[in-house]
Amino acid sequence: MKIGSTLKALRENLNMSQVELCAKTGLSQTTICQLEKDDRWPTPATLKSIADALKTKPFVILAMSVTVNDVPTQLSKTTLDFKNICSIFTYGRKH
């Protein structure tokens, strides 16, 4: 999972600098830089703060950060239809 490139893309999509993101989150520019380079993983509280500043939800950031390497081998070799994709995201939930 590569969360750094997702954070950077969302920030840049809002034409927001790292300094502006720092001001909105209270995080240091060093921390933002480390997160965007995947040198550091955000805590749940940090992810929530960044998501709020980027006008999105933490789960959206996580979902956008999934790479093909994050998908189990048995799933990556299968053609996934919409029903299969939905079952992945609802696994363990009561309907």
Side-chain angles (χ1 to χ4, degrees):
M1 184 173 283
K2 297 287 187 180
I3 199 166
S5 56
T6 301
L7 295 175
K8 184 175 181 178
L10 289 169
R11 178 180 58 76
E12 289 178 342
N13 189 54
L14 294 172
N15 295 314
M16 185 184 299
S17 69
Q18 284 185 349
V19 172
E20 291 170 313
L21 184 58
C22 293
K24 290 178 182 265
T25 61
L27 299 170
S28 70
Q29 191 169 4
T30 299
T31 297
I32 298 296
C33 186
Q34 288 173 336
L35 292 169
E36 288 186 355
K37 290 182 176 181
D38 287 313
D39 290 340
R40 182 176 180 172
W41 187 258
T43 65
T46 298
L47 184 59
K48 170 82 169 87
S49 177
I50 292 171
D52 289 345
L54 297 176
K55 302 176 183 175
T56 191
K57 302 287 184 193
F59 77 88
V60 172
I61 293 172
L62 294 174
M64 290 175 66
S65 302
V66 174
T67 67
V68 71
N69 295 328
D70 298 321
V71 179
T73 306
Q74 66 191 46
L75 291 179
S76 64
K77 293 181 180 176
T78 312
T79 302
L80 296 175
D81 60 24
F82 184 72
K83 184 176 179 182
N84 288 337
I85 292 170
C86 289
S87 70
I88 292 168
F89 288 103
T90 59
Y91 179 78
R93 287 186 179 169
K94 294 183 180 180
H95 299 285

